[in-house]
Amino acid sequence: MFTIVANHKLFHSIHQLSRFLTKEANKALQPFGLFSAQWSVIYVLKMKGSLTQKELCDYLSVEAPPLTRNVQRLVKEGYVRQVPGKDKRMKFIELTEKAQAEFPVWEKAVMEKNQLLLSDFPMDSQEKLEELISDWLKNRVVSEDE
């Protein structure tokens, strides 16, 4: 019974943290007319280059409809474009020159917010938490593929 309660508390805490971090990211991005979900797409495309919508969905662990809405908004703003692949049904999504130029400004705002949020969290704890989360995500991906 203790394990079930402890697991419930753990997942509740993680969920609350996720919502809090999303809210804070939205505050940092608000002056640029962006939301954290859009920033996630932009950041992944900057780090990984051109991806299909399915690859973005899989990487970000989001459903296709909300991702489609975010991509459409980013296209409308001129931050991403859809490029046809060899198969006409497949489209690659990539950052535009406009997004590439604005990226450092957006990233600076997000990094400053992150730094502020971590200012009272000891570096050794940050490193351990990052290691735990990375291991968990790596194992999650493996177990989903089985």
Side-chain angles (χ1 to χ4, degrees):
M1 180 67 175
F2 176 76
T3 303
I4 293 170
V5 172
N7 286 346
H8 180 68
K9 286 177 68 174
L10 172 64
F11 280 92
H12 178 75
S13 295
I14 291 169
H15 183 74
Q16 290 299 101
L17 178 61
S18 175
R19 289 199 178 276
F20 171 74
L21 295 176
T22 298
K23 183 178 172 185
E24 292 300 312
N26 285 338
K27 286 180 189 176
L29 294 164
Q30 189 271 332
F32 312 108
L34 293 172
F35 291 97
S36 65
Q38 295 162 333
W39 169 248
S40 294
V41 171
I42 291 167
Y43 181 81
V44 170
L45 292 174
K46 177 69 173 175
M47 296 305 119
K48 295 191 169 285
S50 180
L51 296 172
T52 66
Q53 189 152 325
K54 170 136 179 39
E55 290 170 328
L56 272 171
C57 284
D58 291 345
Y59 184 84
L60 295 171
S61 296
V62 296
E63 300 296 321
L67 183 71
T68 299
R69 286 190 295 274
N70 281 311
V71 167
Q72 288 171 347
R73 286 184 196 128
L74 291 169
V75 167
K76 185 178 177 185
E77 294 296 324
Y79 296 139
V80 302
R81 66 178 146 252
Q82 296 175 317
V83 180
K86 291 178 184 175
D87 179 344
K88 295 195 189 250
R89 295 170 294 172
M90 183 183 299
K91 290 182 185 169
F92 286 88
I93 301 165
E94 63 185 25
L95 294 180
T96 62
E97 293 77 16
K98 179 180 178 181
Q100 295 281 2
E102 293 293 327
F103 185 87
V105 176
W106 301 331
E107 184 179 43
K108 182 176 186 266
V110 170
M111 289 176 66
E112 286 174 355
K113 176 60 80 170
N114 292 348
Q115 194 67 23
L116 180 64
L117 292 170
L118 290 171
S119 63
D120 293 332
F121 198 53
M123 184 55 74
D124 60 330
S125 295
Q126 291 178 42
E127 291 168 358
K128 184 63 177 169
L129 181 58
E130 195 281 326
E131 181 183 329
L132 290 168
I133 291 170
S134 292
D135 288 348
W136 190 4
L137 288 173
K138 197 175 348 170
N139 291 331
R140 178 194 60 88
V141 172
V142 169
S143 65
E144 283 183 0
D145 291 342
E146 293 174 350

